Amino acid sequence: MTQYHTVIAGGTIVTGTDVIRADIAITGGQIAAIGQNLKGEHRIAADGLLVLPGGVDTHCHIEQLQEGGGADEEGWVTGSTSCLAGGTTSVVTFSTQFKGGGILGPLAEYQRRASQAMVDYSFHQIIADASDDVIFREIPQVVAQGIRSLKVFLTYDALNLDDRAFLRVLAAARRTGALVTVHCENYEAINWRTKALLAAGLTAPKYHAWSRPSMIEREATHRAIALAELVDQPIQVFHVSCPEVAEEIARAQARGLKVWAETCPQYFALTADDMDRPGFEGAKFMCSPSPRDAAAQQGMWRMVRAGTIDVVSSDHSGWSYDTPVGKRVNGSDASFRDIPNGVPGLASRLPLLFSEGVVKGQIDLCQFAHITATNPARLFGLHSKGSIAPGKDADLVLWDATKQVTITNALLQQAIDYTPYEGMQITGWPVATIRRGEVVMQDGRVTAQPGSGRFLARGPYDMIRPTGQLPFGFDASAFEV
Ligand code: URP
Ligand code: ZN
Ligand code: ZN
């Protein structure tokens, strides 16, 4: 009988398609076999536990460079620690472009910083300035380095692209074989409403939600889809907050377009009312798009079950509550316009989704594995990740499905000094995280070494190949315009 290096014995394996009682054999950091009574030099007992694919978080902000200098408070060591504490073993984070600058220089700096990672990682390349040099010279070089996704924002002063710039990015992606991910909110509409709110003296955190009601997200999503269809370029819409936006995506999918959707735990667990806390407290819950209401949360679960929503990532963003560089960077009485957007969530992503989703009967175990690991890996070309099958990296989480936990920020082991979920009672928690066959977290103790994470270079893959359906059969992306 074959003797493997390690066998995880007695657990219940969950994949995107099956739940089975079997052992997993690991050799050379990869899954070698799945079966009964497998034998290994080392045995990890998983009796009574679920064995889930290691979480794949394809949208999180880690050590992102700030325009004025410096980087996010959440660095690679703390960010990786938090990922492993919460059962996530791979991430796709960001390399930023600042307007007027290039992308190759910053990418080298991001790669240098990520050499401290303890999870496996890749980047999305943010395009904030679609200059000729970036579009025609730098993007092909970035994609050739295995960065096979570009990120654009249709809002934010520092990042937004107008339609022409967005079209140029879509065309560049089509030429080079990359996926485009999009933050969909209407920049001008938000600015217009924000000016009016400030003029009316309505500046508290809760007015963040008033500045960007759902039609602002819906309009931008519709526009992004239409422009992507014009270019015949696959896109993923990031952080969909509510069903009326997801319906735009469902319509596009029904037309056969390659449009995928991501949402985040905050859109199941928070509402706009959370920003209406006394004083500055509401800033803890401020992210864009804004959390909506209880009906939207229920609608989003329906959209997950219907398969419209493909991915649930954290959108972890590096702003502490009590430090001078975080939410209070513009003072503790800053208007909602001047409070940095984003909520933390690397470690809370899987437990929160498990408890709110699986335990409460909104989704089943296979759907959970699908949206937290399998789909993110497939959609972003991380072929060695996201599932439990021979030949895949042995990235696994041993999960106690009955453990009751009260969330505290300390449990999450992140640099950010708060969690929006403090005090929430949940059921289900990771007991151990295994990365490429090595136990790197056991009972909350993370033992991975800085620098042990690997860069995941992403080559071409079928899923993001254009459909070939072009208006009048004319491929405008073939021209350098
Ligand atoms: O509010 C958010 N989502 N902040 C993070 C940056 C982004 O828009 O993804
Ligand atoms: Zn965004
Ligand atoms: Zn983000």
Side-chain angles (χ1 to χ4, degrees):
M1 178 180 260
T2 312
Q3 174 90 349
Y4 299 100
H5 182 271
T6 302
V7 168
I8 298 172
T12 299
I13 300 170
V14 179
T15 70
T17 49
D18 296 295
V19 179
I20 51 165
R21 197 70 196 279
D23 299 343
I24 300 173
I26 300 168
T27 293
Q30 292 188 330
I31 296 170
I34 296 172
Q36 305 302 324
N37 301 314
L38 301 177
K39 299 281 173 265
E41 287 165 52
H42 306 273
R43 184 176 188 278
I44 298 174
D47 305 84
L49 299 175
L50 300 178
V51 186
L52 303 172
V56 180
D57 188 348
T58 47
H59 178 175
C60 51
H61 302 267
I62 297 178
E63 213 161 319
Q64 195 161 314
L65 300 179
Q66 303 296 326
E67 189 139 29
D72 279 355
E73 268 178 273
E74 199 71 80
W76 274 105
V77 173
T78 58
S80 303
T81 302
S82 189
C83 283
L84 297 174
T88 287
T89 46
S90 306
V91 298
V92 185
T93 175
F94 295 88
S95 174
T96 338
Q97 179 194 17
F98 298 119
K99 284 194 193 288
I103 56 176
L104 282 167
L107 178 58
E109 173 63 6
Y110 279 99
Q111 287 282 20
R112 190 189 68 74
R113 287 171 179 263
S115 64
Q116 292 299 295
M118 293 142 57
V119 288
D120 292 348
Y121 60 93
S122 185
F123 301 100
H124 307 291
Q125 176 61 57
I126 292 174
I127 307 297
D129 190 342
S131 65
D132 280 359
D133 194 50
V134 166
I135 293 291
F136 301 121
R137 190 181 67 83
E138 290 200 302
I139 287 178
Q141 291 186 48
V142 164
V143 175
Q145 289 181 34
I147 313 294
R148 205 158 279 276
S149 44
L150 308 176
K151 165 78 188 284
V152 302
F153 293 83
L154 303 185
T155 189
Y156 295 144
D157 291 338
L159 296 165
N160 84 89
L161 297 187
D162 62 18
D163 288 352
R164 176 172 180 266
F166 180 36
L167 284 166
R168 279 160 62 91
V169 175
L170 290 166
R174 192 174 198 279
R175 284 191 296 271
T176 51
L179 180 63
V180 176
T181 67
V182 195
H183 177 129
C184 294
E185 289 187 293
N186 182 312
Y187 176 66
E188 295 295 350
I190 292 170
N191 282 348
W192 177 71
R193 265 182 84 85
T194 297
K195 279 198 176 127
L197 285 163
L198 298 185
L202 305 176
T203 61
K206 78 168 191 179
Y207 296 110
H208 174 81
W210 291 36
S211 72
R212 52 189 75 221
S214 56
M215 58 287 281
I216 275 176
E217 184 185 354
R218 172 161 52 84
E219 184 280 333
T221 303
H222 179 85
R223 180 162 34 103
I225 291 169
L227 297 185
E229 188 173 6
L230 182 69
V231 180
D232 182 30
Q233 167 56 38
I235 59 170
Q236 184 172 131
V237 178
F238 268 175
H239 43 46
V240 173
S241 73
C242 58
E244 71 177 86
V245 171
E247 281 160 13
E248 293 291 335
I249 292 157
R251 272 193 286 278
Q253 291 170 343
R255 290 207 304 282
L257 301 183
K258 291 192 176 184
V259 176
W260 293 286
E262 172 217 75
T263 191
C264 314
Q266 44 270 37
Y267 300 111
F268 300 112
L270 303 179
T271 68
D273 287 346
D274 285 305
M275 281 185 275
D276 191 13
R277 307 242 178 153
F280 197 65
E281 186 86 8
K284 287 183 176 173
F285 308 90
M286 183 185 288
C287 56
S288 298
S290 169
R292 308 294 178 190
D293 59 16
Q297 292 176 344
Q298 290 305 313
M300 287 300 284
W301 284 120
R302 279 196 302 278
M303 287 299 188
V304 171
R305 288 193 295 273
T308 305
I309 303 287
D310 304 282
V311 171
V312 179
S313 60
S314 69
D315 195 8
H316 176 88
S317 301
W319 310 106
S320 278
Y321 184 63
D322 268 327
T323 63
V325 291
K327 293 277 184 185
R328 296 174 198 270
V329 67
N330 293 311
S332 294
D333 56 356
S335 83
F336 69 86
R337 187 192 55 190
D338 299 321
I339 300 171
N341 287 199
V343 294
L346 290 171
S348 51
R349 179 178 72 113
L350 296 183
L352 216 120
L353 208 71
F354 187 87
S355 189
E356 293 297 297
V358 179
V359 176
K360 293 191 175 168
Q362 298 277 13
I363 53 172
D364 62 30
L365 281 169
C366 294
Q367 286 166 323
F368 178 81
H370 240 302
I371 58 179
T372 58
T374 310
N375 270 348
R378 282 171 70 227
L379 285 166
F380 286 102
L382 301 168
H383 303 305
S384 60
K385 305 294 184 186
S387 194
I388 301 177
K392 293 275 186 188
D393 284 354
D395 293 347
L396 304 162
V397 194
L398 306 191
W399 192 272
D400 182 342
T402 57
K403 186 165 177 174
Q404 312 236 322
V405 175
T406 303
I407 296 184
T408 64
N409 198 46
L411 272 181
L412 307 178
Q413 303 190 47
Q414 56 187 9
I416 305 306
D417 67 356
Y418 82 96
T419 167
Y421 314 113
E422 186 80 30
M424 194 169 160
Q425 315 273 331
I426 58 164
T427 302
W429 195 255
V431 173
T433 305
I434 297 166
R435 187 209 55 199
R436 284 181 268 106
E438 183 189 351
V439 178
V440 283
M441 186 282 284
Q442 178 81 53
D443 298 320
R445 207 168 80 82
V446 173
T447 50
Q449 293 303 305
S452 56
R454 286 187 189 158
F455 173 61
L456 299 165
R458 295 177 282 141
Y461 56 107
D462 275 352
M463 263 188 112
I464 61 167
R465 193 169 289 162
T467 64
Q469 301 298 309
L470 284 157
F472 297 100
F474 176 68
D475 182 6
S477 74
F479 299 85
E480 294 203 342
V481 292

